[in-house]
């Protein structure tokens, strides 16, 4: 079995497993700190932030915006020479079925209204539902809501009532997390919300405060040309810094290999160095490249050695790889994330020039007339894309896949999803659309894309963190630990890699 040190220079070696945004950002930070970095990727770089061409337009295959509640993404983009763009002011709508379409109240978070007395809340919930939600402003807070495990659904139901949960919160949570609010840990989905409830005495005031704490302007931003340009810029930056990227390279095993056991902390010796002055390899990672035949099980793997290791994969993969190397980790495998499919349509539909549903539509899980969980009217949301597409040509992206779906998207063909997307888009946008109006279409699938932020997930994360804290030369990053969204992923990757480099 071949064994290779990753660097022939005096710089210490670092390995990053996974070339999604988290892995690429971590690789950049380590390179800046003086490491000789190699990134290993089983597929192609970019992960779920990629691009595809549909009717001549270069479009995002995954995330198309980032939250501005922190400056993590904007700061990174600026360092890479990219400036943010903001969506058009038209907000999103809600679809509850049976023609019940209405604008989404925009003053709170995760569908929780910042002001339950606002006219749009009255329109959405009706007099009885709005009156029940408004009780939140004066009702005493049950101490049981402030500590211990609690789902987002239970919290909203207690403070605002069933109507607010079903009409306002469930469509947002379903669209973003592919799950029922009763399944999701409120402290994972909305960090700080319970603390705000305790401080203000109102869930709505807490939601408004969290929204107001974000930087001024839109709650989200994007990049000209799409979020995929962030990956392009990262890859160019890494190349300039001498980072080596090995795509189509599968990691088959990971071993912690302190060369002299007598020097290891377990044997009473000094801990292995973790900064750029480190000299002894701490990790051996076995890989198999694309050149090895898939059916050649006896083909030798290549062993790579490095002082530092960053694992930037999904949770189940990370625990599978590190289970033997990190004591206590093997029994903590998190649940598989929900799979989603994105059906992108480019349509010739001048009726959509007026953006009849603003930037898009979130669908209530109780709606039975459409299968999609959300629709983004991309050319209405992003002025730069509308200019590229031209009048009458529109980009619609429909998202499919809830863990509660009777028919999983994995069992539906691309053609079936495209046909469903055309029908669903017509219903959600309120305009006639048929397959004849579709200029081009594509389906992108993201298996296990959304980590399960269930009540049990947070306890599992705490146990995983305790196990990982005992291994200082290792970082494990990604949305399953940081939370969903580029802002959380980028922030965690930079913090972790900078700590590693000290």
């Amino acid at each position: 079995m071949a064994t290779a040190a990753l660097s022939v220079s005096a710089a210490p070696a670092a390995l990053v497993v996974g070339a999604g945004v988290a892995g690429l950002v971590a690789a950049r930070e380590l390179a800046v700190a003086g490491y000789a970095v190699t990134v290993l990727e089983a597929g192609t770089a970019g992960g779920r932030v990629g691009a595809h061409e549909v009717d001549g337009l270069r479009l995002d295959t995954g995330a198309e915006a980032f939250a501005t509640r922190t400056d993590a993404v904007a700061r990174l983009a600026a360092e890479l020479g990219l400036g943010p763009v903001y969506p058009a002011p038209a907000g999103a709508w809600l679809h509850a079925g049976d023609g019940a379409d209405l604008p989404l109240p925009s003053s709170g978070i995760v569908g929780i209204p910042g002001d339950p007395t606002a006219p749009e809340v009255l329109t959405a919930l009706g007099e009885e539902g709005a009156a029940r939600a408004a009780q939140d402003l004066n009702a005493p807070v049950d101490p049981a809501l402030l500590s211990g495990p609690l789902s987002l659904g239970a919290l909203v139901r207690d403070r605002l009532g069933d109507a607010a949960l079903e009409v306002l919160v469930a469509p947002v949570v379903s669209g973003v997390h592919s799950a029922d609010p009763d399944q999701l840990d409120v402290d994972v989905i909305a960090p700080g919300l319970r603390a705000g409830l305790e401080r203000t005495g109102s869930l709505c005031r807490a939601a408004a405060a969290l929204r107001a704490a974000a930087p001024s302007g839109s709650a989200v931003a994007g990049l000209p040309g799409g979020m995929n340009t962030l990956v392009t810029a990262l890859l160019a930056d890494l190349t300039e810094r001498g980072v080596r990227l090995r795509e189509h390279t599968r990691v088959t095993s990971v071993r912690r290999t302190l060369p002299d056991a007598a020097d290891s902390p377990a044997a009473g010796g000094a801990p292995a160095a973790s900064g750029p002055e480190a000299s002894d390899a701490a990790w051996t990672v076995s890989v198999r490249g694309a050149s090895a035949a898939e059916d050649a099980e006896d083909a030798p793997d290549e062993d790579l050695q490095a002082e530092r290791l960053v694992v930037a994969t999904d949770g189940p993969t990370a625990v599978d790889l590190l289970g033997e190397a990190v004591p206590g980790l093997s029994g903590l495998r998190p649940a598989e994330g929900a799979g989603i499919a994105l059906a992108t349509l480019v349509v010739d539909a001048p009726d959509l020039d007026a953006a009849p549903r603003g930037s898009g539509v979130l669908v209530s899980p109780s709606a039975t007339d459409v299968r999609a969980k959300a629709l983004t009217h991309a050319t209405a949301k992003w002025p730069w894309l509308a200019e590229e597409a031209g009048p009458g040509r529109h980009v619609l992206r429909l998202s499919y896949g809830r863990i509660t779906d009777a028919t999983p998207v994995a069992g539906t063909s691309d053609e079936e999803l495209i046909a469903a997307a055309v029908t669903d888009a017509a219903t959600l946008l309120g305009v006639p659309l048929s397959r004849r109006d579709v200029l081009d279409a594509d389906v992108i699938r993201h298996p296990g894309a959304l980590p399960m932020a269930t009540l049990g997930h947070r306890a599992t994360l705490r146990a995983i963190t305790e196990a990982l804290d005992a291994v200082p030369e290792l970082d494990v990053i990604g949305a399953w630990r940081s939370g969903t969204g580029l802002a959380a992923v980028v922030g965690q990757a930079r913090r972790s890699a900078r700590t590693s480099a000290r």
Side-chain angles (χ1 to χ4, degrees), residues 28 74-84 223-224 229-230 233-234 237:
R28 182 174 185 263
R75 191 169 68 251
L76 173 65
E79 292 171 11
L80 297 169
L82 303 174
L223 297 174
T229 61
L230 181 67
L234 274 170
D237 184 88

Side-chain angles (χ1 to χ4, degrees), residues 144-233:
L145 298 176
L146 301 177
S147 62
L150 184 69
S151 73
L152 177 65
L155 178 60
V156 173
R157 187 180 291 107
D158 183 281
R159 296 299 304 178
L160 307 181
D162 289 333
L165 176 62
E166 294 171 8
V167 176
L168 298 179
V169 175
V172 176
V173 172
S174 172
V176 175
H177 297 282
S178 293
D180 188 294
D182 286 319
Q183 298 175 305
L184 301 176
D185 188 322
V186 63
D187 294 324
V188 177
I189 299 303
L193 186 61
R194 284 207 283 182
L197 170 61
E198 183 175 19
R199 184 176 62 255
T200 66
S202 160
L203 185 62
C204 291
R205 284 193 288 264
L210 286 178
R211 179 65 178 263
S216 60
S218 174
V220 298
L223 297 174
M227 289 307 303
N228 64 86
T229 61
L230 181 67
V231 170
T232 302

Side-chain angles (χ1 to χ4, degrees), residues 328-340:
L329 193 63
S330 59
L332 299 173
R333 193 178 196 269
E336 299 282 350
I340 62 172

Side-chain angles (χ1 to χ4, degrees), residues 382-406:
W382 302 109
W384 67 265
L385 182 56
E387 183 177 351
E388 284 193 15
R393 189 163 67 136
H394 291 270
V395 178
L396 311 175
R397 189 167 81 162
L398 293 94
S399 177
Y400 293 85
R402 297 186 182 99
I403 60 174
T404 55
D405 285 348

Side-chain angles (χ1 to χ4, degrees), residues 41-454:
E41 168 57 45
T44 57
R48 297 185 176 101
V49 183
H52 61 155
E53 186 173 300
V54 188
D55 198 40
L57 298 170
R58 184 176 174 84
L59 305 171
D60 288 316
T61 60
E64 43 93 34
F66 60 91
T68 59
R69 63 180 180 271
T70 75
D71 65 351
V73 179
R75 191 169 68 251
L76 173 65
E79 292 171 11
L80 297 169
L82 303 174
V85 293
Y86 298 94
W93 284 55
L94 293 170
H95 177 81
D98 300 324
D101 298 310
L102 46 102
L104 175 69
S106 59
S107 61
I109 61 168
V110 293
I112 299 170
D115 179 6
T117 67
E120 62 267 29
V121 177
L122 176 61
T123 300
L125 301 184
E127 290 187 8
E128 184 177 348
R132 170 64 181 88
Q135 293 177 12
D136 165 73
L137 298 175
N138 300 305
V141 177
D142 183 349
L145 298 176
L146 301 177
S147 62
L150 184 69
S151 73
L152 177 65
L155 178 60
V156 173
R157 187 180 291 107
D158 183 281
R159 296 299 304 178
L160 307 181
D162 289 333
L165 176 62
E166 294 171 8
V167 176
L168 298 179
V169 175
V172 176
V173 172
S174 172
V176 175
H177 297 282
S178 293
D180 188 294
D182 286 319
Q183 298 175 305
L184 301 176
D185 188 322
V186 63
D187 294 324
V188 177
I189 299 303
L193 186 61
R194 284 207 283 182
L197 170 61
E198 183 175 19
R199 184 176 62 255
T200 66
S202 160
L203 185 62
C204 291
R205 284 193 288 264
L210 286 178
R211 179 65 178 263
S216 60
S218 174
V220 298
L223 297 174
M227 289 307 303
N228 64 86
T229 61
L230 181 67
V231 170
T232 302
L234 274 170
L235 290 173
D237 184 88
L238 293 179
T239 297
E240 290 183 3
R241 297 181 188 278
V243 173
R244 185 184 183 195
L245 171 64
R246 294 181 57 173
E247 296 180 301
H248 306 292
T249 300
R250 180 168 56 91
V251 175
T252 58
S253 69
V254 173
R255 303 184 301 281
R256 196 175 181 212
T257 56
L258 294 174
D260 187 347
D263 293 333
S264 72
S274 60
E277 73 282 358
S279 59
D280 291 331
W283 296 96
T284 298
V285 176
S286 298
V287 301
R288 179 169 297 192
S291 59
E294 289 295 329
D295 57 353
E297 294 298 331
D298 57 346
D301 291 347
E302 179 186 2
D303 278 357
L304 306 176
Q305 292 184 341
E307 286 89 347
R308 294 214 59 86
L309 176 65
V310 176
V311 176
T313 66
D314 61 84
T317 299
V319 172
D320 289 346
L321 287 175
L322 296 170
E324 294 185 8
V326 179
L329 193 63
S330 59
L332 299 173
R333 193 178 196 269
E336 299 282 350
I340 62 172
L342 301 174
T344 297
L345 311 176
V346 178
V347 298
D348 180 11
D351 287 348
L352 293 179
D353 288 353
R357 295 295 182 268
S359 61
V361 187
L362 293 164
V363 180
S364 170
S366 63
T368 59
D369 55 344
V370 296
R371 186 177 168 188
K373 64 177 185 174
L375 176 149
T376 299
H377 187 170
T379 37
K381 185 174 183 177
W382 302 109
W384 67 265
L385 182 56
E387 183 177 351
E388 284 193 15
R393 189 163 67 136
H394 291 270
V395 178
L396 311 175
R397 189 167 81 162
L398 293 94
S399 177
Y400 293 85
R402 297 186 182 99
I403 60 174
T404 55
D405 285 348
T407 305
V409 294
T412 305
S413 70
D414 287 0
E415 279 305 314
E416 289 173 318
L417 278 178
I418 290 170
V422 174
T423 302
D424 288 350
T427 300
L428 294 173
L429 296 170
V431 300
L433 285 175
S434 72
R435 195 67 172 84
R436 294 189 301 273
D437 300 312
V438 178
L439 302 173
D440 198 5
D442 194 23
V443 172
I444 300 294
R445 299 175 186 270
H446 295 293
L450 299 174
M452 287 295 94
T454 58

Side-chain angles (χ1 to χ4, degrees), residues 4-35:
L6 292 178
S7 175
V8 295
S9 70
L15 268 172
V16 178
V17 181
V21 168
L24 297 178
V25 170
R28 182 174 185 263
E29 295 293 336
L30 290 170
V32 169
Y35 283 90

